[in-house]
Amino acid sequence: MCLIIKQTNFKPLIAPLFLLASGFMFGQKAVSDTAKTDTKDIEEVVVIGYGKVKKSDLTGSVASVSAKDLAATPAMNALQALQGRASGLNIVTSGGAPGASANVTIRGGASITQGTSPLYIVDGFQLDNALNVINPNDIESIDVLKGASAIAIYGARGSNGIIVIKTKSGKKGRTTINYNSFMMFDMLSKKLDMISNAEQYVKYQYEFAQLQNKMTGWSSVFDNGLPLDTPGFYSGAFNRISNRYASASDLDWQDKMLGGTGLTQNQNVNISTGNEKTQAFISYNYNKQEGLLQNSSETRNSLRANINSELYKGVRVDFNSMFNSNSTNGGGAYSGMKKILLQPITGGTLFNQDQLFNTQTFPDFSSLDSGFDTENPFVETSASTSNNRSRTFIANAGIEFDFLKNFTFRTAGQYNWNQSKSTSFSDENSRAYLTDPVNTGINGSIGNSESYRYQITNTLTFNKTFAEKHRVNVLAGYEIVYSQSESNSMRLTKFPFPNFGLDDISNAFVQEKSSGRSSNSLLSYFGRVNYTYDDRYLLTATVRRDGSSKFGPSNKWGVFPSVAAAWRVSQESFWQDSKIEKFINDLKLRFEYGITGNNDIGNNLFVTNLSLSDYPMNNTPGNPAYVTSTNLGNPLLRWEELKATNLGVDIALFNNRVKLTSEWYNNNVSGMLLQSLLPVSTGYSRQYQNIGSLRNRGLEFTLNTVNIKSENFRWSTDFNISFNKSKVMSLEQGQTNRTFSVGGNRTGMVTYYATVGEELGDMYGYVYQGVYTTDDFIQNADGSLSLKPGVVKPATGTPKPGDMKFAADNEKGDQFTRKMQKIGNGTPDFIGGISNSFSYKGFDLNIFMKFSVGNDIYNATKHSLSPYAMFQNVPSEFGDNYYRLIDPNTGLITNNLARLRELNPDEGSRVWSLSAINSQNITYPSSYYVEDGSYLRIAQVTLGYSFARDFLEHVKLSNARIYFTVNNLATITGYSGYDPEVTAASGVAVTPGFDSSTYPRSRSYVLGLNLTF
């Protein structure tokens, strides 16, 4: 059953969302049912750079997610748990495959072609891809640092925003044991509508073969190889098809490949213990997810332990360690949806249905039509396997001591080690073997990488209150980060036997091999001053000086200052005990401005590298020689800089029952690190330079309401919405745009433009205007056709009815000349999420929705399913409605306009014919494939029950809760693909909204249990 709900006009849905979020639909009475004041939020602590502050003292822009919010989401990783729950943070996973990656951006990112991922800080130390590594059950809180004041303390690494994660630690008091477990059952949430009737499919194949002059191949598969010169072959073809296939079975490849149930199990146990001096925490998590597709799975094991102790009064030590092991079968993604969807649904007279599904039919079909490029996915997923394994070990320790009453010194260090291995193997049933059994044969690959990083941080803090009203906190620090990585890989071919796979490579040929090693370091000095006067006026000033080994000697160092101020208006005397104070309980105005940097480029780009090559002499190879690379080094490379401004308002109403945070920001990136094309005469092709500038500007709103609060019932709502608009301010001198092509001719291709003065994400291609119909032609006396005056002419040749028609793009407006035009934009106008939580006695219900509005998607999956080869299936949208050129009475092509009108009622609504010219036309990027990607998803619904205290005491438990969750319950969207949530094709900001054979997201049903002993 599919619950993807079509909605052509999405924006009218947003107004009700605001009303629901606000909680005012029930009037003020619902808000004031109780006189109790919910003030705990005022004293919440927020983790910032190298410290923490009370939320009331915060001057920067920070969005926080608590452990309680994360615990409400049974998720495979923290990425899934965090989606849609923090304003300004956009997380889009690349698909539904186990181990699939995600694209994470804060406020649009700060680059065009470089990575836009934020910096992750876990317990004070950097950890790459932390949200995918840290067990979500171990997380105490997540703080998303967005404003300049919050991120400038990290200087060189803060321009893309910072996500600070604090993990759980032991608590004072009795020992507690927490056990959390859930079982998840995944099912395909939506199927694409493909031709599913065998008779219709074979008639479609007949028309394709006739128009492409491939009738011999058609007969071989569908007509028992009947010779084409058999009397009545063509005129009787449609009758023979009906007689043979009217009741024939069809093979549903989506159901066969993805129609099962994927099982996930998650087991987590943690122990917390401690006394006044020492606290300890240990946690273990096991998670295994089986994908819907065979041989796709992910297995995770993680172990974390930490200890905090006060050795002596004023002397504290802490130690934290983590080991994580991860294994993903299937590579963490699957690009073969096209192979599933395009498979023949009947083997005709050549294969029975069992043979069609269980044997590798690719050689037979491709021999009859060289364009056939879709191997049997069931056989291929067993014949070609892959595995990615990684292990991570982290240990960090610190000691701090207080002295001279107001000073604290802390020194801490971390060691982070990571090892990964990726393998692939293809046996004699694989396409690679069947395509080239001699030179490739049975083949495989092995890749190994290892890296480590150490970080040492020393900080000195001064904290004092003067005259009861002046609070001063001063931080000074020194930090060094060094990282090193090395890798090697080899491509192996011509295995004599598949028996041992990659366990024995001694008899294989090494086709390719490579290795590399790199390192980089960062040295930093930083300081911060926080000043508060009478809890009314707050001032924060920071400065950081970073030196990076990625830049040349003259440009290693960058200085990144910031300043922030806040005014707690509600603390003023004129506000206190006034009438307005009873209505507006808290009001704070914030301003911040600062500069941060970015050095997210490769190592040693400031020098021109040499590589070892071969220089033949006297026609004899084997003479080693060093040659320069094609990339010219640039010793003038310097820091990319982000200048950020943020204005914020925090307001609490009705005894803190309604809390609203509003932000306006303006982020300007200058000196962007981009590759510049060099003239061929230089002898080099590219060089990294500091060129161009980018602006991100936007609004963010976070609303938290307690709608009803009584003795037994509570309803609260959390709502966030973010608007971001990017603008390319400049590019290389004399350059007005840069192009980025994504995809391929047959897999779906589109070109993105980064244009000065325009937003990122612009898609360019050709404007599709339907097909040429009989009304566009004149039938000449000799039976030929002529295009009527005023009808758009194609780029080349003379069109026929059923040919694709593209909009004119020349000055006269009468001809299509293949000039690229804007056809869409993949960046949303706004994104957000809304969570409603209800509790009644022991029951709890949470409904979480997320949305994206205004973004286009280039449906490259649909593009790749357009007809270009025989024997391949097509979507019903096409198979039911293509322009017919074959007269079923004769079985031959007709050129008669009157007959074509009879064969194609409502011509203007039809898609193109199966002619050879259209097989070429569909390789063009076209507006036909651009769709509205707006959606509202009911992402998660959880119903839980916590057992009563009397029962818990009887069974010796502190807490017991059972719950049932449905993930991805329903999606309201106008998008025709599997899922409108698609990530950037290349993981950068310039290419959003590209959907190419993405592994579909499943709907999952979860049964969970939480126990505390």
Side-chain angles (χ1 to χ4, degrees):
M1 179 180 177
C2 177
L3 283 176
I4 299 288
I5 304 168
K6 289 281 186 165
Q7 176 76 23
T8 54
N9 187 2
F10 187 89
K11 294 185 178 181
L13 291 172
I14 300 306
L17 280 179
F18 279 105
L19 292 175
L20 180 61
S22 68
F24 288 114
M25 63 183 70
F26 292 93
Q28 187 173 337
K29 183 178 184 298
V31 178
S32 57
D33 279 343
T34 176
K36 296 178 181 178
T37 302
D38 189 359
T39 59
K40 68 178 180 64
D41 212 37
I42 299 298
E43 297 306 317
E44 282 183 359
V45 171
V46 176
V47 179
I48 59 174
Y50 307 99
K52 53 190 176 181
V53 298
K54 291 190 300 182
K55 195 169 186 178
S56 58
D57 291 341
L58 194 64
T59 57
S61 177
V62 179
S64 300
V65 180
S66 68
K68 181 181 178 181
D69 297 326
L70 296 173
T73 307
M76 300 296 295
N77 53 54
L79 279 168
Q80 296 176 2
L82 195 57
Q83 277 187 305
R85 297 183 185 270
S87 64
L89 176 65
N90 192 19
I91 301 175
V92 184
T93 54
S94 59
S101 61
N103 192 41
V104 182
T105 56
I106 296 175
R107 292 183 169 178
S111 186
I112 290 181
T113 60
Q114 301 308 109
T116 56
S117 295
L119 172 70
Y120 298 97
I121 302 295
V122 179
D123 295 328
F125 298 95
Q126 180 180 344
L127 177 60
D128 296 336
N129 198 24
L131 291 176
N132 204 38
V133 174
I134 299 293
N135 170 19
N137 294 282
D138 289 345
I139 296 176
E140 182 72 31
S141 66
I142 297 177
D143 294 296
V144 183
L145 311 187
K146 301 176 292 184
S149 177
I151 63 180
I153 193 67
Y154 288 103
R157 302 169 291 166
S159 61
N160 284 318
I162 299 166
I163 295 179
V164 179
I165 300 172
K166 183 181 182 299
T167 61
K168 295 177 180 177
S169 57
K171 306 296 183 183
K172 299 176 184 178
R174 64 185 294 268
T175 299
T176 60
I177 301 174
N178 292 290
Y179 173 70
N180 303 306
S181 173
F182 66 78
M183 298 285 288
M184 182 184 296
F185 305 89
D186 289 331
M187 299 178 184
L188 188 63
S189 62
K190 179 185 179 181
K191 290 170 60 176
L192 297 191
D193 193 9
M194 308 293 290
I195 292 181
S196 58
N197 178 276
E199 180 183 1
Q200 178 192 9
Y201 168 76
V202 177
K203 287 180 177 178
Y204 159 83
Q205 291 292 331
Y206 180 92
E207 179 136 359
F208 188 96
Q210 181 72 278
L211 293 171
Q212 305 271 347
N213 195 27
K214 296 177 180 179
M215 285 303 300
T216 301
W218 179 89
S219 179
S220 298
V221 175
F222 301 111
D223 207 6
N224 268 324
L226 189 67
L228 304 186
D229 57 1
T230 301
F233 177 89
Y234 294 102
S235 60
F238 277 69
N239 285 332
R240 293 197 306 275
I241 292 172
S242 295
N243 292 335
R244 180 174 287 138
Y245 295 100
S247 59
S249 61
D250 61 88
L251 189 58
D252 188 335
W253 282 92
Q254 291 181 87
D255 185 65
K256 287 284 189 180
M257 296 295 297
L258 299 165
T261 300
L263 177 63
T264 298
Q265 58 173 314
N266 181 86
Q267 311 290 336
N268 185 87
V269 61
N270 65 65
I271 302 172
S272 173
T273 187
N275 54 35
E276 291 297 321
K277 289 288 187 181
T278 303
Q279 301 86 44
F281 179 87
I282 185 169
S283 170
Y284 171 72
N285 179 252
Y286 170 80
N287 191 303
K288 183 170 184 179
Q289 179 185 14
E290 296 287 347
L292 297 178
L293 189 72
Q294 67 172 348
N295 294 326
S296 66
S297 65
E298 182 184 27
T299 303
R300 293 169 176 260
N301 284 275
S302 68
L303 179 67
R304 172 178 288 276
N306 64 47
I307 186 170
N308 302 277
S309 181
E310 186 176 24
L311 296 180
Y312 308 100
K313 185 176 181 179
V315 179
R316 298 169 294 277
V317 296
D318 55 86
F319 176 78
N320 197 335
S321 65
M322 183 196 79
F323 177 77
N324 185 77
S325 174
N326 185 64
S327 177
T328 303
N329 291 315
Y334 181 65
S335 59
M337 289 309 301
K338 167 187 168 183
K339 302 169 187 177
I340 294 175
L341 297 168
L342 289 180
Q343 286 301 303
I345 64 172
T346 176
T349 57
L350 187 62
F351 299 107
N352 61 40
Q353 298 299 75
D354 182 70
Q355 292 170 328
L356 184 64
F357 183 69
N358 290 293
T359 59
Q360 183 58 283
T361 55
F362 171 72
D364 301 272
F365 288 127
S366 61
S367 66
L368 297 171
D369 183 357
S370 59
F372 186 89
D373 59 357
T374 52
E375 64 275 9
N376 184 317
F378 178 73
V379 176
E380 188 70 20
T381 51
S382 296
S384 296
T385 58
S386 63
N387 176 264
N388 292 332
R389 285 174 285 171
S390 65
R391 293 177 293 173
T392 301
F393 173 74
I394 299 172
N396 50 267
I399 181 171
E400 64 180 28
F401 56 90
D402 304 326
F403 64 99
L404 297 180
K405 190 178 180 179
N406 301 115
F407 289 88
T408 300
F409 175 77
R410 175 176 173 83
T411 182
Q414 182 191 73
Y415 180 80
N416 182 333
W417 172 84
N418 181 271
Q419 185 270 337
S420 63
K421 182 178 183 179
S422 60
T423 60
S424 66
F425 188 77
S426 299
D427 65 22
E428 68 276 13
N429 291 312
S430 68
R431 174 179 175 173
Y433 175 91
L434 296 171
T435 303
D436 187 5
V438 176
N439 297 313
T440 300
I442 300 171
N443 63 93
S445 65
I446 302 174
N448 289 286
S449 66
E450 184 174 4
S451 64
Y452 72 88
R453 176 193 296 119
Y454 67 77
Q455 176 178 334
I456 299 173
T457 304
N458 295 297
T459 58
L460 178 64
T461 304
F462 171 77
N463 195 19
K464 185 174 176 60
T465 300
F466 299 92
E468 297 184 352
K469 290 188 176 183
H470 303 270
R471 294 205 315 269
V472 178
N473 180 279
V474 181
L475 170 77
Y478 161 86
E479 185 173 82
I480 184 170
V481 180
Y482 177 83
S483 61
Q484 181 174 298
S485 63
E486 57 184 48
S487 62
N488 58 71
S489 63
M490 64 176 74
R491 172 73 177 163
L492 303 157
T493 60
K494 302 181 185 178
F495 282 84
F497 306 103
N499 305 52
F500 299 103
L502 296 174
D503 293 334
D504 183 3
I505 64 173
S506 59
N507 294 318
F509 286 81
V510 180
Q511 187 181 54
E512 297 176 8
K513 57 184 178 180
S514 64
S515 63
R517 180 181 179 185
S518 64
S519 63
N520 67 82
S521 58
L522 188 73
L523 179 62
S524 308
Y525 304 91
F526 53 89
R528 177 177 60 213
V529 176
N530 287 324
Y531 171 72
T532 301
Y533 174 72
D534 197 26
D535 288 331
R536 289 182 289 163
Y537 310 113
L538 303 94
L539 179 67
T540 300
T542 68
V543 65
R544 182 171 178 125
R545 187 170 187 257
D546 284 312
S548 173
S549 63
K550 293 185 177 183
F551 301 107
S554 60
N555 292 302
K556 285 186 181 295
W557 293 94
V559 178
F560 308 105
S562 76
V563 63
W567 177 24
R568 293 192 65 190
V569 184
S570 55
Q571 293 298 109
E572 295 288 352
S573 58
F574 65 81
W575 194 280
Q576 297 291 312
D577 299 321
S578 65
K579 291 183 179 180
I580 194 171
E581 192 269 340
K582 296 178 181 179
F583 173 67
I584 303 178
N585 315 122
D586 190 71
L587 175 62
K588 182 166 66 173
L589 308 179
R590 294 179 282 106
F591 166 79
E592 55 185 315
Y593 174 81
I595 301 173
T596 59
N598 183 21
N599 66 340
D600 190 12
I601 56 174
N603 299 322
N604 303 317
L605 293 176
F606 60 92
V607 295
T608 303
N609 294 319
L610 299 176
S611 60
L612 182 63
S613 183
D614 182 75
Y615 187 78
M617 298 181 65
N618 298 323
N619 294 320
T620 303
N623 302 288
Y626 284 95
V627 297
T628 58
S629 69
T630 58
N631 293 324
L632 179 63
N634 182 2
L636 300 179
L637 270 184
R638 55 180 172 79
W639 292 92
E640 185 177 277
E641 285 191 348
L642 167 70
K643 297 179 180 178
T645 304
N646 193 95
L647 296 175
V649 178
D650 303 319
I651 187 170
L653 310 169
F654 308 119
N655 291 329
N656 295 306
R657 296 284 294 275
V658 176
K659 298 170 185 175
L660 174 67
T661 296
S662 305
E663 310 274 1
W664 175 87
Y665 63 87
N666 186 64
N667 295 345
N668 289 286
V669 186
S670 61
M672 287 191 296
L673 295 163
L674 302 176
Q675 271 195 337
S676 175
L677 297 177
L678 299 179
V680 178
S681 58
T682 64
Y684 300 92
S685 59
R686 291 176 173 83
Q687 182 187 54
Y688 268 92
Q689 296 178 3
N690 292 98
I691 50 178
S693 56
L694 172 71
R695 185 187 73 193
N696 277 297
R697 180 180 288 174
L699 292 168
E700 297 168 356
F701 301 95
T702 300
L703 179 66
N704 309 108
T705 65
V706 180
N707 308 315
I708 298 176
K709 184 179 180 182
S710 64
E711 182 178 354
N712 292 321
F713 182 70
R714 179 185 174 101
W715 170 28
S716 62
T717 301
D718 299 318
F719 175 80
N720 73 84
I721 189 168
S722 305
F723 303 79
N724 181 77
K725 192 78 171 179
S726 63
K727 184 176 182 179
V728 180
M729 306 303 290
S730 66
L731 291 168
E732 194 170 0
Q733 187 175 3
Q735 189 180 56
T736 58
N737 61 63
R738 297 188 71 165
T739 60
F740 305 84
S741 294
V742 181
N745 286 343
R746 295 303 186 192
T747 58
M749 180 178 68
V750 70
T751 299
Y752 287 84
Y753 275 46
T755 305
V756 175
E758 301 294 332
E759 185 179 11
L760 288 179
D762 282 345
M763 304 169 182
Y764 273 69
Y766 307 130
V767 178
Y768 177 75
Q769 291 190 324
V771 297
Y772 289 96
T773 67
T774 55
D775 292 336
D776 294 326
F777 295 91
I778 299 171
Q779 186 109 45
N780 301 315
D782 61 358
S784 63
L785 302 177
S786 297
L787 203 61
K788 289 181 179 179
V791 179
V792 176
K793 301 172 187 176
T796 58
T798 301
K800 293 176 291 198
D803 284 358
M804 298 175 74
K805 182 191 291 185
F806 296 103
D809 53 28
N810 63 337
E811 290 185 5
K812 293 177 63 177
D814 63 350
Q815 185 169 6
F816 168 58
T817 64
R818 297 182 189 168
K819 180 181 178 182
M820 288 281 190
Q821 301 184 58
K822 182 178 176 179
I823 56 176
N825 185 282
T827 304
D829 294 333
F830 56 90
I831 59 172
I834 178 172
S835 175
N836 280 284
S837 299
F838 307 85
S839 64
Y840 176 71
K841 294 186 176 179
F843 291 93
D844 61 89
L845 173 66
N846 180 268
I847 302 172
F848 173 64
M849 298 181 289
K850 60 180 181 177
F851 54 86
S852 176
V853 176
N855 54 297
D856 293 317
I857 297 175
Y858 191 84
N859 192 342
T861 303
K862 185 177 179 180
H863 193 158
S864 69
L865 300 180
S866 298
Y868 63 86
M870 281 193 66
F871 315 120
Q872 294 177 340
N873 201 6
V874 291
S876 296
E877 174 188 352
F878 191 92
D880 293 340
N881 201 39
Y882 64 91
Y883 197 97
R884 269 72 169 178
L885 297 177
I886 301 298
D887 188 337
N889 295 330
T890 64
L892 299 173
I893 301 171
T894 180
N895 203 35
N896 183 277
L897 293 181
R899 181 58 175 152
L900 287 173
R901 276 191 287 269
E902 292 177 5
L903 294 173
N904 299 281
D906 196 13
E907 287 181 87
S909 67
R910 291 187 173 268
V911 292
W912 54 91
S913 73
L914 303 176
S915 65
I917 186 62
N918 284 330
S919 292
Q920 177 61 38
N921 287 339
I922 62 174
T923 64
Y924 303 151
S926 163
S927 61
Y928 177 80
Y929 304 109
V930 177
E931 302 182 41
D932 182 8
S934 302
Y935 70 88
L936 170 65
R937 188 195 304 281
I938 305 176
Q940 189 171 79
V941 178
T942 297
L943 175 64
Y945 177 73
S946 298
F947 290 89
R949 179 63 55 191
D950 292 344
F951 172 79
L952 296 176
E953 291 176 353
H954 181 70
V955 295
K956 309 299 182 184
L957 289 172
S958 298
N959 179 67
R961 176 177 177 266
I962 57 174
Y963 62 89
F964 174 69
T965 297
V966 182
N967 292 319
N968 193 18
L969 177 61
T971 303
I972 302 172
T973 184
Y975 183 57
S976 67
Y978 276 118
D979 197 288
E981 185 183 331
V982 293
T983 188
S986 55
V988 295
V990 75
T991 57
F994 185 80
D995 182 10
S996 179
S997 292
T998 301
Y999 189 111
R1001 284 175 179 80
S1002 59
R1003 177 174 300 113
S1004 58
Y1005 302 89
V1006 186
L1007 289 172
L1009 173 67
N1010 308 131
L1011 298 175
T1012 301
F1013 299 89

